[in-house]
Amino acid sequence: MQKSRLTLYIFIALILGVLAGYLYNIYVIDSVNKNLNVAEASIKKLDARLALTDSTTAAFKPLKAQRAAQADLRKAADTLREDKLEGFTILTTIFLNLIKMIVGLLVFSTLVVGVAKVGDIKAVGRIGGKTLLWFLSATLVSLLLGMLLVNLFQPGTEMHLPLPDSHLATGIKKSGISFKDFIDHVFPKSFFDAMAKNEILQIVVFSIFFGIATAAIGEKGEILIKAMDALAHVVMKITGYVMMLAPLAVFGGITAVVAKQGLGVLSTYAVFIGEFYFSLTVLWAVIIFAGFVVLRKRVFNLVGKIKDAMLIAFSTSTSEAAYPRVLVELERFGCSNKIVSFVLPLGYSFNLDGSMMYMTFASLFLAQAYNMHLSIGQQVTMLLILMLTSKGIAGVPRASLVVIAGTLPLFNIPEAGLALILGIDPLLDMGRSATNVLGNAMATAVVSKWENELTEERISELVS
């Protein structure tokens, strides 16, 4: 599929998905949502009555039974809603599973070739040092920008949202990652286990060792390098076939999100959603300006090349879906294969700019909603904690919420407050994922320029 046509088809799928989701919400999902809302309202009233009722009285047991019955009704309605959306979500699931099928192999084959071509361990260390310098700077800027803008807008104070019950369970498992857990997550016990679970960071570590060792054995390693290079091209060809399904995945993903929540959620949370996306726009401007300082006018060409990948990430709510496309477009842009294959996979674990901004923005929003005034010192402490605890859990489902859930109790912010943003998180995740793609692509291009490995734009038929 030609690049221009793919962009057009993805955009059309995006528009059709919004329309289909809106109609499906009105005519199919609306009745289910009403039953779900009735059950949740009943549970809230019963919880209030239970809090005022002595557990030893005769009235307590019937109230508990009523609550259990309403909880069953809520669960049944939620299950029914998911079943009715399954036809749309399965389109996205097929695409994402196919992407996951090739990502591990793609990272391994390209990174081994890239590191082997670098050859020198000192060169690998130098490139790694520059890469981490950019990643840490970008992470700090993203977190700081989120903190500054949420303090400027004060959405938690301005929206006057009804607060959820403090004992409400959110279903989000807290992040309790220790230093030992982090080390276990970075260094693989088994290469095949890392490949099976798509643990990108572990694959990167093994690939670096494998690439350096392959280069070290000289002539014998040349055969393996050529084989790996051929394997990478085969996987790229598979990527081209998989990308043909991208418009269908976009349509299914957007339809499911809009159908489930409806456009009404936009009016309820218009302030928060609008201010968060404005903040992402500011972050985009900062990232592009930082890239402009190094790349000059070519930075705009880069943004144009990765727009398809950003659309895919936006529509499927995962930056992983865009990885193969970003890799190809960076090479077309002129970035060295050895730099792309080294920097890009690292970015997927250490450089999630959109997610970083969301963490401070959402955490302080919840503090504002509970009318909790955190001092500048407390906010900076929160920023540093988020900076540390967010590393190495990119493969965790809903990673941003997991990290936030683990951070809130440290500042006495009720974890139940997460219920305020759970419903709109899929809408916010779309913007975060697209921003992550932009940040990683920019980092790779900048490191290529720093290493004098950025050439003029070239034509590639890798995924045509």
Side-chain angles (χ1 to χ4, degrees), residues 111-112 115-116 124 203-213 342 346:
L111 186 51
V112 167
V115 172
V124 173
I203 296 172
V204 167
V205 171
F206 179 82
S207 301
I208 291 173
F209 277 106
F210 196 93
I212 292 173
F342 183 82
L346 279 177

Side-chain angles (χ1 to χ4, degrees), residues 1 6 10 95 97-107 109-110 230-247 309 312 320-329 331-332 344 460-464:
M1 188 182 295
L6 180 63
I10 289 175
F95 177 74
N97 284 351
L98 290 173
I99 288 292
K100 290 176 182 178
M101 173 185 76
I102 60 177
V103 162
L105 197 57
L106 186 60
V107 171
S109 58
T110 55
L231 176 62
H233 280 77
V234 171
V235 178
M236 285 296 188
K237 198 64 180 178
I238 297 174
T239 298
Y241 301 146
V242 173
M243 281 299 155
M244 293 179 183
L245 298 175
I312 292 171
E320 188 179 62
Y323 181 92
R325 189 83 197 182
V326 178
L327 189 147
V328 171
E329 293 301 341
E331 290 192 20
R332 284 177 171 169
L344 193 60
S460 171
E461 301 299 325
L462 288 173
V463 294
S464 59

Side-chain angles (χ1 to χ4, degrees), residues 29-355:
I29 302 297
D30 187 57
S31 59
V32 181
N33 280 341
K34 286 179 179 177
N35 292 334
L36 192 61
N37 292 335
V38 169
E40 288 179 344
S42 298
I43 290 172
K44 190 172 182 179
K45 290 179 180 178
L46 289 167
D47 282 341
R49 292 177 62 186
L50 283 168
L52 299 173
T53 305
D54 192 335
S55 60
T56 60
T57 62
F60 186 80
K61 191 172 181 180
L63 287 174
K64 287 286 288 183
Q66 290 177 43
R67 192 197 185 285
Q70 290 298 321
D72 289 340
L73 289 174
R74 180 178 62 180
K75 184 178 180 181
D78 190 52
T79 302
L80 179 61
R81 182 172 64 177
E82 295 300 325
D83 289 343
K84 288 182 178 293
L85 294 172
E86 189 174 354
F88 299 108
T89 57
I90 200 169
L91 295 174
T92 307
T93 300
I94 290 171
F95 177 74
L96 293 180
N97 284 351
L98 290 173
I99 288 292
K100 290 176 182 178
M101 173 185 76
I102 60 177
V103 162
L105 197 57
L106 186 60
V107 171
F108 174 64
S109 58
T110 55
L111 186 51
V112 167
V113 173
V115 172
K117 286 179 180 177
V118 173
D120 185 7
I121 296 179
K122 291 182 179 179
V124 173
R126 184 185 68 249
I127 296 169
K130 292 177 179 178
T131 300
L132 290 178
L133 174 64
W134 178 277
F135 287 172
L136 289 174
S137 300
T139 296
L140 186 59
V141 168
S142 301
L143 288 166
L144 186 60
L145 198 55
M147 186 185 83
L148 292 175
L149 290 173
V150 77
N151 276 294
L152 175 65
F153 295 134
Q154 295 285 322
T157 304
E158 298 295 328
M159 290 175 65
H160 304 292
L161 292 171
L163 299 177
D165 184 83
S166 59
H167 302 294
L168 179 68
T170 61
I172 302 297
K173 185 179 179 182
K174 297 179 184 179
S175 170
I177 186 168
S178 64
F179 181 71
K180 182 181 181 300
D181 294 330
F182 176 74
I183 294 299
D184 284 341
H185 185 77
V186 172
F187 297 99
K189 297 175 183 176
S190 164
F191 169 68
F192 297 103
D193 182 62
M195 289 287 285
K197 295 179 179 178
N198 265 337
E199 292 283 356
I200 299 298
L201 197 53
Q202 294 185 6
I203 296 172
V204 167
V205 171
F206 179 82
S207 301
I208 291 173
F209 277 106
F210 196 93
I212 292 173
T214 303
I217 62 175
E219 190 175 329
K220 292 181 180 179
E222 289 291 331
I223 301 172
L224 195 54
I225 294 171
K226 289 180 180 179
M228 284 291 178
D229 194 37
L231 176 62
H233 280 77
V234 171
V235 178
M236 285 296 188
K237 198 64 180 178
I238 297 174
T239 298
Y241 301 146
V242 173
M243 281 299 155
M244 293 179 183
L245 298 175
L248 286 176
V250 168
F251 173 76
I254 291 293
T255 301
V257 169
V258 176
K260 184 174 183 178
Q261 302 296 336
L263 296 179
V265 72
L266 296 179
S267 60
T268 304
Y269 284 89
V271 173
F272 182 75
I273 294 173
E275 290 176 352
F276 176 68
Y277 270 90
F278 175 80
S279 300
L280 285 181
T281 304
V282 174
L283 180 58
W284 283 25
V286 171
I287 293 171
I288 293 171
F289 176 75
F292 179 81
V293 171
V294 180
L295 304 172
R296 312 310 296 176
K297 291 182 180 180
R298 288 192 67 185
V299 72
F300 302 110
N301 186 26
L302 174 63
V303 174
K305 281 187 171 298
I306 63 171
K307 64 179 183 299
D308 283 357
M310 292 174 67
L311 269 176
I312 292 171
F314 178 84
S315 306
T316 58
S317 299
T318 172
S319 53
E320 188 179 62
Y323 181 92
R325 189 83 197 182
V326 178
L327 189 147
V328 171
E329 293 301 341
L330 283 169
E331 290 192 20
R332 284 177 171 169
F333 178 69
C335 296
S336 166
N337 172 267
K338 64 184 180 183
I339 302 295
V340 174
S341 58
F342 183 82
V343 177
L344 193 60
L346 279 177
Y348 271 69
S349 287
F350 290 107
N351 190 45
L352 304 174
D353 298 336
S355 299

